[in-house]
């Protein structure tokens, strides 16, 4: 199985600005790449690592235990971050990290159904214990209009109508490869000849819908901003334009006064009266070397906001 190489690792740790006695939250434990580095920097501090995937919890715990005991794993969805921390008696923190999306091991296990590269059941749930909505249910039970909207909204798929129509005509569709062949049938040959996999957009769209990713991120980010101590930071690594849009909108809302929304093209800055500031206006991107070594990082962007 492919190893999960953490994306923008040095940059995200640097911008979390870790104090050795601080309290930090990693909302996306995964294989503990980022959590491990945070934990190594703590002396009297504490790390809370969240994940909704039981395999991530098992493997992440094993990895962190080898570093120190200054961590607590919280199993669940980061949409409940405030409540999960409150249960631990924590109401404010020094830094919160999100490394969004699916981890390489999730992608690489055919049975999870995330990947168009492996044949498996149409599942795509990160949280198999609590989420009853699978990709199979969407593909086999939703109306053509609902499917079209999902593919359009979450995959930016120009051929959403044709794919949705063929899905309805090809039911039942049980496996990832069956879905891939329906998608291929629905696309013009010039698109099929492109380097990008023809099923990429549809699979992304289904995954986002199955895991309710956008609404979850929006709500969680707002909670995170309200959990920060002064000088505390939220650091987010995004992988596609929909995630970027959610982060950008919330960060704007919390850093810009109303007039700045309208005057944002002025050549000079107006001091904002808001409680938060952006560390840099445009997100950071990985270096060429990182992209060469880890293909998963090619679309990654790092966003940082600080409580004043
Ligand atoms: C890209 S991986 C994180 C990788 C990790 N930073 C590392 O270096 O190993 C994203 C992880 O976040 C988890 N995840 C995604 N959305 C989540 C959510 N809403 N709540 C909890 N965990 C989530 C996924 O299950 C996955 O394990």
């Amino acid at each position: 199985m492919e190893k999960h190489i953490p994306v923008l690792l040095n940059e995200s740790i640097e911008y979390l600005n870790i104090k050795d006695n601080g309290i930090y939250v990693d909302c996306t434990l995964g294989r503990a790449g980022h959590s491990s580095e945070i934990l190594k920097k703590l002396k009297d501090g504490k790390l809370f690592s969240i994940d909704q995937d039981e395999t991530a919890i098992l493997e992440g715990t094993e990895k962190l235990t080898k570093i120190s005991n200054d961590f607590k794993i919280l199993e669940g969805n980061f949409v409940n971050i405030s409540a999960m921390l409150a249960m631990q008696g924590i109401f404010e923190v020094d830094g919160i990290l999100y490394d969004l999306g699916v981890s390489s091991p999730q992608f690489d296990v055919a049975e999870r159904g995330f990947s168009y590269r492996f044949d498996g059941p149409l599942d795509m749930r990160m949280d198999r214990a609590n989420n009853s909505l699978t990709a199979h249910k969407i593909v086999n039970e939703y109306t053509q209009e609902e499917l079209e909207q999902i593919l359009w909204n979450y995959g930016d798929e120009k051929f959403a109508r044709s794919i949705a129509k063929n899905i309805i005509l090809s039911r039942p569709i049980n496996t990832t490869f069956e879905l891939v062949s329906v998608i291929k049938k629905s696309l013009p040959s010039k698109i099929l000849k492109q380097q990008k996999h023809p099923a990429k957009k549809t699979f992304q769209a289904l995954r986002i819908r199955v895991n309710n990713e956008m609404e979850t991120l929006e709500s969680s980010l707002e909670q995170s901003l309200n959990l920060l101590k002064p000088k505390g930071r939220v650091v987010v690594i995004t992988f596609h334009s929909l995630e970027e849009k959610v982060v950008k909108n919330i960060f704007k809302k919390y850093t810009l006064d109303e007039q700045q929304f309208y005057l944002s093209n002025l050549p000079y800055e107006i001091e904002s009266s808001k409680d938060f500031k952006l560390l840099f206006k445009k997100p950071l991107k990985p270096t060429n070397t990182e992209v060469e070594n880890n293909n998963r990082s090619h679309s990654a962007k790092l966003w940082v906001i600080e409580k004043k």
Side-chain angles (χ1 to χ4, degrees):
M1 188 192 297
E2 211 177 299
K3 205 172 132 236
H4 183 90
I5 309 172
V7 170
L8 286 163
L9 180 62
N10 295 335
E11 294 86 344
S12 52
I13 299 300
E14 179 190 336
Y15 283 107
L16 267 177
N17 205 16
I18 297 171
K19 295 186 285 182
D20 59 14
N21 62 352
I23 299 176
Y24 294 88
V25 185
D26 180 355
C27 283
T28 49
L29 168 69
R31 283 351 179 231
H34 294 85
S35 275
S36 296
E37 294 310 308
I38 299 172
L39 194 55
K40 283 179 199 162
K41 288 188 173 287
L42 299 181
K43 279 205 190 93
D44 304 314
K46 184 107 185 171
L47 167 68
F48 293 91
S49 295
I50 299 175
D51 208 296
Q52 59 180 338
D53 181 312
E54 68 231 332
T55 320
I57 298 283
L58 287 175
E59 288 180 22
T61 309
E62 199 185 316
K63 215 165 149 192
L64 294 182
T65 311
K66 291 183 186 143
I67 299 171
S68 91
N69 291 324
D70 300 331
F71 74 93
K72 172 105 188 144
I73 301 278
L74 305 176
E75 184 167 1
N77 193 310
F78 60 55
V79 74
N80 300 317
I81 181 171
S82 300
M84 286 163 112
L85 291 173
M87 302 258 283
Q88 305 298 320
I90 302 292
F91 300 95
E92 50 175 20
V93 304
D94 296 282
I96 302 176
L97 173 73
Y98 294 80
D99 172 18
L100 296 171
V102 178
S103 68
S104 308
Q106 286 171 329
F107 263 126
D108 290 343
V109 175
E111 184 212 326
R112 303 295 301 264
F114 283 110
S115 176
Y116 41 76
R117 291 182 290 126
F118 307 109
D119 199 15
L122 282 169
D123 191 322
M124 302 198 192
R125 288 171 300 167
M126 291 190 206
D127 178 355
R128 286 186 291 184
N130 299 300
N131 184 4
S132 59
L133 181 62
T134 60
H136 187 274
K137 191 171 170 125
I138 295 177
V139 166
N140 287 287
E141 294 178 25
Y142 280 29
T143 64
Q144 186 174 324
E145 289 68 34
E146 285 171 327
L147 284 168
E148 191 179 327
Q149 250 181 18
I150 290 171
L151 302 191
W152 180 254
N153 292 343
Y154 298 136
D156 205 13
E157 175 56 77
K158 284 198 195 70
F159 301 96
R161 178 158 298 170
S162 155
I163 297 172
K165 193 171 141 216
N166 280 327
I167 285 178
I168 303 283
L169 294 174
S170 313
R171 281 171 175 172
I173 302 170
N174 291 316
T175 68
T176 48
F177 277 7
E178 282 170 25
L179 180 59
V180 169
S181 91
V182 174
I183 295 166
K184 283 185 176 165
K185 259 198 327 210
S186 318
L187 299 176
S189 57
K190 84 168 191 285
I191 299 287
L192 293 175
K193 280 188 203 133
Q194 285 175 359
Q195 214 190 353
K196 246 198 221 159
H197 194 288
K200 190 174 170 138
K201 291 178 168 182
T202 299
F203 272 62
Q204 174 190 300
L206 289 171
R207 188 202 92 202
I208 290 177
R209 180 63 194 90
V210 165
N211 298 291
N212 204 16
E213 288 179 35
M214 294 307 116
E215 295 75 6
T216 299
L217 175 61
E218 193 175 334
S219 160
S220 183
L221 275 178
E222 294 229 28
Q223 295 172 53
S224 284
L225 293 177
N226 289 308
L227 283 162
L228 287 183
K229 292 182 191 172
K231 300 281 169 214
R233 292 179 179 179
V234 170
V235 173
V236 188
I237 304 170
T238 57
F239 290 90
H240 56 77
S241 59
L242 289 172
E243 289 171 350
E244 288 168 18
K245 204 165 134 195
V246 172
V247 177
K248 211 190 293 180
N249 284 343
I250 294 203
F251 281 15
K252 254 187 172 176
K253 176 173 153 192
Y254 279 79
T255 56
L256 294 185
D257 288 324
E258 218 166 281
Q259 88 221 38
Q260 289 173 307
F261 269 103
Y262 302 108
L263 302 177
S264 55
N265 289 332
L266 285 181
Y268 51 85
E269 297 272 327
I270 310 167
E271 186 62 27
S272 164
S273 65
K274 293 276 172 120
D275 291 339
F276 294 85
K277 66 170 191 193
L278 295 179
L279 276 240
F280 27 83
K281 257 188 164 175
K282 290 221 165 107
L284 282 190
K285 293 186 185 165
T287 59
N288 292 341
T289 320
E290 175 167 5
V291 175
E292 274 161 31
N293 292 330
N294 183 10
N295 184 41
R296 210 179 74 82
S297 71
H298 80 275
S299 59
K301 290 186 185 161
L302 184 96
W303 310 73
V304 188
I305 189 169
E306 183 181 270
K307 180 148 180 188
K308 286 180 184 166

